[in-house]
């Protein structure tokens, strides 16, 4: 036997180290014991012991989104793998690079219904970008390197590597990562220059142009954000963003119209409805963005930049499809725009801005302030006032009303500061994701904006925060309801609040204390500022329980099945049911 | 936008590895695409490549989606929409069991001859015909055999290749 023979478990850790992995989020079990044994004997890679495998995947997602590096997960076979499924699906929907190593029963037991056996590759096939079952130790190192390549290149996503126990225990040869092309998976990064030229042709002739950027800009990296800012400034055109794209373009800039879509701003949605040339940059025309498809931006020519050809013409037919990486395409587009002497007619663009400013003046996020009861919007305004200007503030959210309010009221100036479950809409995402962010940025201010319902879905991770002294702040907008469910029941189901009231909630202050964290509570508007100040000051994990208005709804809202110009605004809610068609009611 | 349904034949070169067919089939079922026929076999033992031929139907947008969705599967080397790319040949093979005696048996043999189907198994009261050709030809043959004692049928599904010297 040659001297470079290693055990499978050693090969796995060596491969992770060579891939630059610094931290793994995991949970041990029978089928991964050899890997944990190898962990015990090394110091290069840190292991964060979560309290449930679902938390490990969300933590890896938070780590990935806030660093741009892949997040790594290690779980055992059977229930370890099945608990990871929600997180994997979440990462697939939001294009987050995650490598998830799962233990598996020994190869000779596969298919025998062994203890803690499940068909991990079968179960995770539809919820991963790709997955592997390693059956030969001589493939092990190559497969792990390939998993990182697949997870991080093209449109990023989760990759599972299923590792039978006998492979971990066996001995084989390690091979280092190999540069060079993958034999079959080679996503196109450079855009077709002819198409980019067509796009520039549309832009120089535009009268009512609009940029519509998405998570793809953030996935493409900081340079893509920089190029986007450059190009938007250069053109003077307005820009809106999807939920996942927030931060790619600075929210405080005058050309930014806020988020669009179901709970987007009045100006962003009407600009989308009225534009004549749209540039979709790393965004995928999700149904939460488009509303009713046949009335979506009806009079526009559409340019779509996306690295995934299957995102193009999936929901909306576009006129100029450009397959490629956002940064590469924008770079070429800027060159062509600069080389072109023509510019859009100034009067037309000025008139478009006048129109947009009129919509803006509608002040669509206005809400009825109160001296007695805390409005959720008020709590977030005060939170924003406290963190504004801080480069090291990272926000995660759970899913629901609080998430949409956070997207509306917190302004992001830079990419990778905003982590939210957009595509899958996973309640319970925010706390473990914040944990992953805090692991990556130990000195940063990491806040999970939460609802009292969502937070209970992964509350066990408070224990992980305590163990690793991760000072994550959980900012609960507590309305004692699954707020978004309640809102839909009010608007669409005759106010029949079926099972959406959160009865028997824990005392969150005592709960925090039980987990060795600090609990804070505010129930009057006058207490909010002090709470936020204290929350930020404390160097420990905090649960801040803010009792907010139970009846507050999140507006503007484009009801399901409606078009952007049919949105409901907060101060004009009359008989909204009349606006929802039967077909719309069937949509989620 | 044309909502008309069209039928396209795709040729997909994949790594011949465990699970690759499940990925392709899973893609069609999870996205709700219609498969009319799917065949798969190894074609290159050295490079370990299989060719999957899929006949699928859908609107123009769905057909385009199918191509791109197949293309982004990691073990897929190449996807060719043969219907889009130009002239191609598509053939399938069927084994058709016909039981009967007397006039019907004689007529079955005569029809088989016209279709250039071969009798590959014979008993006193049955034939198994082997026929290959386009889907339409086989459909027509089967239609005729229904009246002549067709009792069992096995079809391969379509295999296809482009015409001319160019390869896919």
């Amino acid at each position: 036997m040659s001297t470079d023979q290693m055990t499978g478990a050693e090969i796995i850790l060596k491969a992770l180290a060579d891939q630059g992995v610094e931290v793994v989020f995991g949970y041990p079990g029978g089928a991964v014991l050899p890997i944990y044994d190898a962990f015990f004997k090394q110091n290069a890679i840190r292991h964060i012991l979560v309290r449930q495998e679902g938390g490990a995947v969300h933590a890896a997602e938070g780590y990935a989104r806030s660093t741009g590096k892949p997040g790594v997960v290690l779980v055992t076979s059977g229930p370890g793998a099945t608990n990871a499924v929600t997180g994997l699906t979440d990462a697939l929907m939001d294009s987050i690079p995650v490598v998830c190593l799962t233990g598996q029963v020994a190869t000779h037991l596969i298919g025998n219904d062994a203890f803690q056996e499940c068909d991990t590759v079968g179960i995770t096939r539809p919820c991963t970008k790709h997955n592997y079952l390693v059956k030969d130790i001589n493939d092990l190192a190559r497969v792990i390197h390939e998993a990182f390549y697949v997870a991080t290149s093209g449109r990023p996503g989760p990759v599972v590597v299923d590792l039978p126990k006998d492979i971990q225990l066996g001995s084989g040869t390690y091979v280092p990562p190999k540069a060079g092309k993958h034999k079959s998976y080679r996503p196109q990064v450079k855009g077709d220059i002819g198409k980019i030229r067509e796009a520039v042709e549309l832009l120089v002739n535009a009268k009512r142009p609009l940029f519509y950027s998405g998570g793809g800009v953030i996935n493409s990296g900081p340079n893509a954000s920089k190029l986007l800012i450059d190009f938007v400034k250069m053109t003077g055109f307005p820009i809106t963003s999807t939920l996942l794209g927030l931060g790619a373009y600075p929210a405080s800039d005058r050309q930014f119209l806020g988020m669009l879509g179901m709970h987007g701003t009045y100006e962003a949605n009407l600009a989308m409805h009225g534009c004549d040339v749209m540039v979709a940059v790393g965004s995928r025309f999700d149904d939460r963005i488009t509303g009713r498809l046949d009335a979506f931006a009806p009079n526009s020519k559409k340019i779509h930049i996306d690295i995934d050809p299957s995102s193009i013409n999936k929901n909306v037919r576009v006129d100029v499809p450009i397959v490629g990486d956002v940064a590469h395409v924008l770079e070429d587009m800027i060159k062509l725009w600069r080389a072109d002497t023509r510019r859009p007619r100034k009067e037309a663009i000025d008139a478009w801005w006048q129109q947009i400013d009129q919509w803006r003046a509608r002040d669509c996020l206005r809400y009825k302030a109160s001296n007695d009861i805390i409005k959720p919007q008020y709590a977030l305004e005060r939170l924003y006032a406290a963190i504004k200007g801080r480069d090291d503030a990272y926000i995660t959210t759970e899913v629901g009303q609080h998430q949409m309010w956070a997207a509306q009221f917190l302004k992001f100036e830079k990419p990778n500061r905003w982590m939210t479950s957009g595509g899958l809409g996973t309640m319970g995402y925010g706390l473990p994701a914040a944990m992953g962010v805090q692991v990556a940025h130990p000195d940063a201010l990491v806040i999970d904006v939460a609802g009292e319902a969502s937070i209970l879905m992964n509350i066990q991770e408070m224990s992980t925060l305590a163990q690793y002294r991760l000072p994550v702040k959980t900012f609960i907008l507590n309305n004692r309801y699954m707020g978004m469910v309640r809102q839909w029941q009010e608007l669409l189901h005759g106010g029949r609040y079926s099972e959406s009231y959160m009865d028997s909630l824990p005392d969150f202050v005592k709960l925090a204390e039980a987990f060795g964290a600090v609990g804070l509570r505010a129930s009057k508007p006058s207490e909010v500022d002090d709470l936020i100040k204290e929350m930020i000051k404390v160097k420990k994990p905090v649960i801040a329980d803010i009792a907010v208005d139970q009846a507050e709804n999140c507006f503007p809202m484009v009801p399901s099945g409606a078009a952007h110009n049919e949105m409901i605004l907060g101060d004009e809610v009359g008989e909204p049911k009349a606006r929802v068609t039967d077909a719309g009611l069937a949509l989620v | 936008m044309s909502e008309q349904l069209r039928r396209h034949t795709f040729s997909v070169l994949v790594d011949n590895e465990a699970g690759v067919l499940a990925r392709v089939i899973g893609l069609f079922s999870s996205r709700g695409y219609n498969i009319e026929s799917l065949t798969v076999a190894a074609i290159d033992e050295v490079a370990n490549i299989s060719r999957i031929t899929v006949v699928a139907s859908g609107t123009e947008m769905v057909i385009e989606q199918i191509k791109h969705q197949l293309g982004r599967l990691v073990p897929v080397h190449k996807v060719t929409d043969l219907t889009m790319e130009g002239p191609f040949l598509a053939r399938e093979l069927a084994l058709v069991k016909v039981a009967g005696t007397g006039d019907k048996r004689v007529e079955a043999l005569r029809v088989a001859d016209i279709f250039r189907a071969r009798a590959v198994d014979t008993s006193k009261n049955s034939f198994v015909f082997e026929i290959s050709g386009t889907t339409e030809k086989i459909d027509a043959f089967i239609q005729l055999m229904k009246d002549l004692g067709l009792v069992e049928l096995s079809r391969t599904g379509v295999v296809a290749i482009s015409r001319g010297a160019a390869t896919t």
Side-chain angles (χ1 to χ4, degrees), chain A residues 103-435:
Chain A
Q104 182 56 277
V105 301
T107 43
H108 72 275
L109 289 173
I110 289 177
N112 283 16
D113 299 330
F115 177 64
Q116 292 196 328
E117 182 190 355
C118 72
D119 177 7
T120 300
V121 285
I123 290 169
T124 61
R125 199 176 286 126
C127 65
T128 52
K129 183 172 170 186
H130 194 52
N131 61 14
Y132 303 86
L133 168 64
V134 181
K135 284 171 137 172
D136 180 344
I137 192 162
N138 294 312
D139 291 335
L140 180 57
R142 178 188 59 79
V143 165
I144 292 176
H145 296 316
E146 195 177 306
F148 278 86
Y149 167 78
V150 171
T152 55
S153 46
R155 179 176 175 179
V159 176
V160 162
V161 184
D162 202 22
L163 301 161
K165 198 170 179 183
D166 55 327
I167 299 290
Q168 301 168 35
L169 290 166
S171 78
T173 315
Y174 179 75
V175 291
K178 201 170 58 189
K181 283 184 174 174
H182 186 268
K183 60 182 172 172
S184 57
Y185 186 67
R186 291 175 220 150
Q188 184 180 340
V189 284
K190 281 291 270 183
D192 180 295
I193 203 76
K195 293 280 177 208
I196 299 174
R197 192 166 285 123
E198 277 179 51
V200 171
E201 187 67 31
L202 282 176
L203 289 174
V204 294
N205 291 307
K207 295 185 183 70
R208 299 183 309 280
L210 180 66
F211 283 96
Y212 146 49
S213 71
V217 181
I218 290 166
N219 275 334
S220 177
N223 192 39
S225 290
K226 193 191 152 294
L227 289 163
L228 178 72
I229 296 166
D230 288 351
F231 194 40
V232 172
K233 295 272 182 201
M234 219 176 276
T235 57
F237 297 165
I239 174 167
T240 178
S241 167
T242 67
L243 180 70
L244 290 190
L246 295 175
Y249 191 91
S252 60
D253 188 82
R254 199 189 82 85
Q255 283 169 255
F256 187 65
L257 308 187
M259 180 175 77
L260 86 160
M262 185 172 270
H263 294 288
T265 66
Y266 188 68
E267 52 271 32
N269 281 340
L270 289 189
M272 187 51 112
H273 192 77
C275 69
D276 73 337
V277 176
M278 168 206 312
V279 194
V281 191
S283 45
R284 62 181 177 91
F285 297 90
D286 174 83
D287 57 270
R288 281 295 183 273
I289 292 300
T290 61
R292 202 173 85 221
L293 273 175
D294 59 11
F296 172 69
N299 302 309
S300 64
K301 292 278 184 199
K302 300 172 188 73
I303 300 159
H304 188 184
I305 306 169
D306 204 299
I307 198 158
D308 177 4
S310 75
S311 278
I312 293 174
N313 289 338
K314 181 170 65 184
N315 302 328
V316 171
R317 251 239 178 272
V318 300
D319 302 277
V320 183
I322 305 172
V323 177
D325 169 59
V326 166
H328 284 83
V329 173
L330 282 179
E331 201 171 358
D332 287 339
M333 206 176 266
I334 288 171
K335 270 186 207 149
L336 289 180
W337 171 270
R338 283 207 168 117
D340 203 314
T341 53
R342 296 168 301 161
R343 286 294 175 259
R345 274 183 40 238
K346 189 172 177 307
E347 315 86 84
I349 302 296
D350 285 350
W352 179 226
W353 270 114
Q354 271 170 25
Q355 171 70 74
I356 288 169
D357 286 339
Q358 269 175 30
W359 289 329
R360 228 178 212 164
R362 184 72 179 70
D363 193 12
C364 67
L365 298 180
R366 192 174 51 213
Y367 61 93
K368 223 186 230 157
S370 163
N371 289 325
D372 312 316
I373 191 159
I374 303 172
K375 293 284 182 175
Q377 300 96 324
Y378 172 77
L380 286 167
E381 273 179 348
R382 298 317 301 159
L383 178 65
Y384 180 58
I387 63 171
K388 193 176 174 182
R390 279 185 75 147
D391 196 36
D392 68 338
Y394 293 79
I395 304 289
T396 70
T397 75
E398 309 288 337
V399 169
Q401 283 182 320
H402 67 273
Q403 176 191 27
M404 292 297 112
W405 280 316
Q408 292 173 339
F409 287 86
L410 305 177
K411 314 277 181 215
F412 297 93
E413 304 295 315
K414 284 189 173 174
N416 307 104
R417 303 297 194 277
W418 164 245
M419 274 59 52
T420 193
S421 170
L424 194 63
T426 312
M427 291 171 72
Y429 168 87
L431 182 62
M435 187 165 92

Side-chain angles (χ1 to χ4, degrees), chain B:
Chain B
M1 205 186 306
S2 159
E3 284 304 309
Q4 209 183 343
L5 288 188
R6 45 186 81 205
R7 182 199 285 170
H8 281 231
T9 303
F10 297 91
S11 177
V12 190
L13 294 177
V14 300
D15 280 334
N16 181 17
E17 64 178 28
V20 67
L21 193 58
R23 286 182 207 286
V24 171
I25 291 171
L27 172 69
F28 277 79
S29 65
S30 69
R31 299 204 177 254
Y33 305 145
N34 288 319
I35 299 184
E36 297 196 354
S37 149
L38 186 145
T39 60
V40 57
I43 55 163
D44 185 337
E45 301 293 345
V46 180
N48 206 27
I49 299 283
S50 293
R51 187 189 296 275
I52 299 178
T53 308
V54 190
V55 182
S57 61
T59 61
E60 190 185 347
M61 265 172 111
V62 166
I63 294 292
E64 190 185 332
Q65 272 294 299
I66 290 173
K67 180 170 187 229
H68 292 313
Q69 293 289 356
L70 286 169
R72 69 182 195 148
L73 295 177
V74 170
V76 168
H77 288 257
K78 196 172 179 196
V79 183
T80 309
D81 181 343
L82 290 167
T83 308
M84 285 293 283
E85 302 268 313
F88 69 100
L89 294 167
R91 294 288 182 270
E92 62 175 308
L93 184 144
L95 295 172
V96 183
K97 186 176 286 184
V98 178
T101 52
D103 286 351
K104 283 197 173 174
R105 183 170 161 86
V106 177
E107 180 63 12
L109 207 54
R110 188 155 48 210
V111 172
D113 189 47
I114 293 166
F115 276 79
R116 274 179 268 172
R118 288 195 302 139
V120 288
D121 177 76
T122 310
S123 72
K124 278 182 185 166
N125 53 359
S126 72
F127 290 117
V128 174
F129 294 114
E130 175 193 311
I131 179 171
S132 69
T134 62
T135 299
E136 292 72 25
K137 174 182 164 182
I138 290 169
D139 286 346
F141 182 68
I142 290 164
Q143 196 57 43
L144 287 172
M145 285 299 156
K146 274 182 185 165
D147 295 336
L148 300 173
L150 176 86
V151 290
E152 200 170 24
L153 183 62
S154 184
R155 294 173 75 153
T156 57
V158 172
V159 292
I161 203 161
S162 64
R163 285 184 184 270
T167 61
T168 54

Side-chain angles (χ1 to χ4, degrees), chain A residues 292 492 559-562 566 576-587:
Chain A
R292 202 173 85 221
L492 307 174
S560 37
E566 299 169 321
K577 261 185 299 178
R579 301 204 193 176
V580 177
T581 61
D582 285 348
L585 204 59
L587 301 170

